[in-house]
Amino acid sequence: MRDVAVIGIGETQIGELWDQSLRELGIKAGLKAIRDAGVSGDEVDMLYVGNMSAGKLINQEHVAPLIADYAGLDDVPSVRVESGGASGGMALAEGYISVASGMDDIVVVGGAEKMTDVEDDQAKEILSSTADQEWETVFGATFDSLYAMMARYHMEEYGTTKEQLAQVAVKNHANAAKNPNAQYPREMPKKMVVNAPMVSEPLGMFDCAPLSDGAAAVVLCPAEMVDSYRGDPVKLAGVGHGSDHMAVHDRRNIGAMKATKMAAEKAFDRAELKPEDMDFAEVHDNYTISEIMAIEDLGFFDKGDGGPATERGDTELNSEISVNTSGGCKAKGQPVGATGINQAIEAVQQLRKDAGERQVEDARYGLTHNIGGTGASAVVHIFERWSE
Amino acid sequence: MTMPRYWREIRQRYKGVGVECGKCGRIYFPPREVCPHCRRKSYEKMEERELSGRGKVITYTQVHEPLPEMKPMKPYIMVIVEMEEDVRVTGNLVNVDYEDVEIGMDVDVELRRLGEESPEGIIYYGYKFIPVND
């Protein structure tokens, strides 16, 4: 296996971008990444696109060649990768494998989602389709309600409080306020989160990530080739996949995600690193409870200490471990299939020391964690500052 | 959900028919072709088994933003129940106020109307949970 570097990044604004189509967003992010890397279109060997549900959201399947075509890359083979909310991260893992294996040299990995061409209700129904349609949703379970039941279980089992959940949102909004690409770049008082209208108890409106449009892309190449390109490199040091039962009810511990643990263990093992080596982490905070579970299951805090750790400020910018410095899905936004790539972009910016006001001091190692559905799939990537 | 997709699972939805693994005795609902513990050794050894319908709530929520077809029910309660057979099932809990729901409470299944294909279309029935009062 060859070492792999990220040499280019690009992302669009995240938000309700009514004037832009999926293909425009995808192209914009891709071209930014290619320009940042300093590669030319005819050097690109392969394109992977993470996308969860273009078929339902914009009635368009087969989106990878569509984006490639309009980016002027009709000579570049392309494929779409789908794994619910982990589509972007899974696409990145495919890109990593392509380059590490020696099959391809220059690989572009994009993620794109267009969620606001349908009504909110429809978009939520489509998100719910990543749960088991026949044995969860048909009985009335929404995507929100499945995470709400994880939250209730976590509260009962480990004593996590609604205020601790709210603190995740408060912290991530504070980080997003320093991110020009964020959908909600503003602080949010805790009282507002705690007192927000209920979506599915105990989760209120501000415990949930928004519906967003957006796209992001990275360019990968073998580490031995980085000197041939302009882009400031960051090493992609390890990748791990994880899995679990599809339905939440089939999992023994509803307050933990086995897929996260499995993915993290594999990624740490391959990168020859440990959770305590990480300076920052972008974790999948589609709900506030998701971040609490993630920081435990990734090994940063003991099981049950995720809530108290958040309350202590241990996950704030430049604390014990800086978590979701970008603002996360919660406040940077959640173009679902792009999430994993948006996370990778934050990791690269941090390790290039390009993160502006949200820079983690002396960042050397960082991790990204991307979840599919209610946790039946997960992928973890570990990034490392480039050293000559 | 389309009619054939619903019709295929009528036995499970109406009667709670699951399966028991012929190798290890574990029970599954809905039915699985193979036992996740015994895998290929259990293939073609999974036998039908009707659940008692009784269990305990292990987690719950009240849904305020439902899927479109559940809107008339709003707000409604969802639960994950651990059945007597040590298998867990997701469902809608009815006949109880949200304030009175608690983890560990005993529940039973009842056949109820789940929804309909359209105002003139077929009606879908299936299980819902109700509290056990004894």
Side-chain angles (χ1 to χ4, degrees):
Chain A
M1 297 270 276
R2 304 189 288 183
D3 280 346
V4 177
V6 183
I7 53 167
I9 56 171
E11 72 179 353
T12 65
Q13 179 71 41
I14 298 176
E16 296 183 7
L17 312 173
W18 293 316
D19 58 338
Q20 293 176 68
S21 66
L22 181 79
R23 76 180 83 179
E24 286 177 89
L25 292 167
I27 293 154
K28 201 177 276 182
L31 293 181
K32 274 189 191 176
I34 287 173
R35 198 183 305 143
D36 181 45
V39 303
S40 69
D42 47 17
E43 290 174 289
V44 178
D45 295 314
M46 185 73 199
L47 169 70
Y48 292 96
V49 177
N51 171 267
M52 182 189 88
S53 203
K56 285 181 155 185
L57 288 163
I58 61 166
N59 202 22
Q60 176 71 62
E61 305 288 12
H62 211 191
V63 293
L66 175 77
I67 290 173
D69 180 10
Y70 274 76
L73 300 176
D74 54 298
D75 289 332
V76 177
S78 62
V79 65
R80 165 181 164 186
V81 178
E82 190 274 320
S83 192
S87 301
M90 293 292 185
L92 183 57
E94 293 302 312
Y96 173 87
I97 294 162
S98 277
V99 175
S101 67
M103 194 164 83
D104 296 307
D105 288 332
I106 301 290
V107 171
V108 178
V109 185
E113 206 76 62
K114 178 76 199 169
M115 304 181 78
T116 64
D117 276 0
V118 295
E119 298 285 330
D120 284 8
D121 271 7
Q122 261 178 296
K124 287 206 142 193
E125 195 172 13
I126 292 165
L127 271 181
S128 299
S129 70
T130 61
D132 188 334
Q133 289 287 84
E134 293 182 7
W135 303 104
E136 290 180 311
T137 50
V138 71
F139 297 102
T142 58
F143 199 54
D144 306 319
S145 73
L146 294 166
Y147 274 92
M149 287 197 280
M150 293 186 221
R152 173 78 64 202
Y153 190 93
H154 203 278
M155 288 165 126
E156 180 79 8
E157 198 74 12
Y158 306 111
T160 305
T161 65
K162 185 152 169 61
E163 283 69 26
Q164 290 167 348
L165 295 179
Q167 189 56 36
V168 171
V170 172
K171 170 184 67 72
N172 292 352
H173 273 278
N175 291 341
K178 299 169 179 162
N179 188 345
N181 284 340
Q183 182 166 3
Y184 297 114
R186 49 185 166 270
E187 304 211 352
M188 181 169 287
K190 194 165 180 176
K191 221 193 261 176
M192 228 171 118
V193 184
V194 174
N195 297 326
M198 281 294 165
V199 170
S200 195
E201 296 178 46
L203 302 179
M205 186 164 70
F206 296 128
D207 286 294
C208 311
L211 303 166
S212 322
D213 304 327
V218 297
V219 180
L220 307 179
C221 85
E224 69 225 32
M225 286 172 64
V226 296
D227 291 337
S228 316
Y229 300 99
R230 185 178 67 231
D232 186 6
V234 161
K235 187 178 172 189
L236 186 40
V239 181
H241 297 82
S243 67
D244 203 346
H245 291 296
M246 182 72 176
V248 175
H249 57 236
D250 280 328
R251 305 184 196 148
R252 250 13 248 185
N253 184 354
I254 290 170
M257 284 197 188
K258 187 188 85 178
T260 298
K261 282 190 211 174
M262 189 192 291
E265 277 165 22
K266 287 184 182 184
F268 283 128
D269 192 46
R270 288 171 185 156
E272 297 179 6
L273 291 165
K274 291 194 278 302
E276 46 275 33
D277 295 322
M278 299 298 115
D279 299 301
F280 65 91
E282 284 289 298
V283 309
H284 200 109
D285 60 330
N286 52 348
Y287 297 92
T288 51
I289 182 62
S290 317
E291 178 168 321
I292 302 276
M293 291 196 290
I295 59 176
E296 296 168 348
D297 299 335
L298 290 165
F300 300 135
F301 299 96
D302 290 341
K303 197 72 210 167
D305 194 36
T310 304
E311 204 160 46
R312 291 194 299 270
D314 289 353
T315 56
E316 285 172 10
L317 184 60
N318 287 312
S319 59
E320 194 94 347
I321 175 158
S322 306
V323 176
N324 284 330
T325 54
S326 70
C329 299
K330 176 69 199 85
K332 182 183 181 182
Q334 182 191 217
V336 181
T339 300
I341 309 297
N342 287 124
Q343 294 174 328
I345 282 173
E346 179 68 12
V348 171
Q349 287 180 331
Q350 289 290 351
L351 294 166
R352 283 176 169 184
K353 298 203 184 304
D354 257 351
E357 280 182 84
R358 40 177 225 290
Q359 183 62 48
V360 176
E361 289 156 23
D362 299 323
R364 187 157 177 224
Y365 299 110
L367 167 155
T368 62
H369 158 252
N370 200 190
I371 284 288
T374 55
S377 64
V379 61
V380 166
H381 288 85
I382 294 172
F383 296 82
E384 183 181 341
R385 191 169 66 203
W386 191 259
S387 52
E388 296 305 328
Chain B
M1 186 155 289
T2 59
M3 211 240 290
R5 197 171 174 189
Y6 195 83
W7 169 80
R8 282 198 294 272
E9 282 146 3
I10 274 183
R11 275 164 53 71
Q12 286 81 50
R13 298 201 199 287
Y14 284 17
K15 294 190 75 184
V17 177
V19 289
E20 180 172 341
C21 171
K23 289 296 286 182
C24 72
R26 285 185 177 88
I27 294 170
Y28 297 98
F29 181 87
R32 288 173 179 258
E33 293 299 314
V34 292
C35 165
H37 289 269
C38 306
R39 297 188 183 153
R40 69 185 161 82
K41 291 180 194 142
S42 64
Y43 188 59
E44 295 180 335
K45 293 195 177 65
M46 304 297 280
E47 278 155 29
E48 284 199 352
R49 160 98 185 232
E50 202 172 315
L51 302 187
S52 71
R54 287 215 170 197
K56 283 182 192 304
V57 171
I58 60 164
T59 185
Y60 63 98
T61 181
Q62 175 154 260
V63 179
H64 295 264
E65 289 191 13
L67 298 174
E69 66 268 27
M70 294 288 281
K71 272 205 175 135
M73 310 269 302
K74 155 185 162 177
Y76 60 89
I77 302 164
M78 291 300 299
V79 288
I80 293 178
V81 172
E82 185 157 295
M83 310 300 289
E84 284 178 344
E85 294 83 359
D86 196 26
V87 54
R88 292 172 176 183
V89 177
T90 298
N92 178 203
L93 176 66
V94 295
N95 290 10
V96 63
D97 290 333
Y98 181 65
E99 293 68 35
D100 298 328
V101 179
E102 49 186 42
I103 289 174
M105 75 186 276
D106 293 314
V107 294
D108 204 347
V109 288
E110 197 168 82
L111 189 70
R112 292 281 186 118
R113 176 198 173 101
L114 290 183
E116 56 194 17
E117 195 179 35
S118 65
E120 294 82 30
I122 58 158
I123 297 170
Y124 297 134
Y125 292 95
Y127 51 81
K128 290 193 178 190
F129 291 103
I130 53 166
V132 173
N133 297 310
D134 55 16

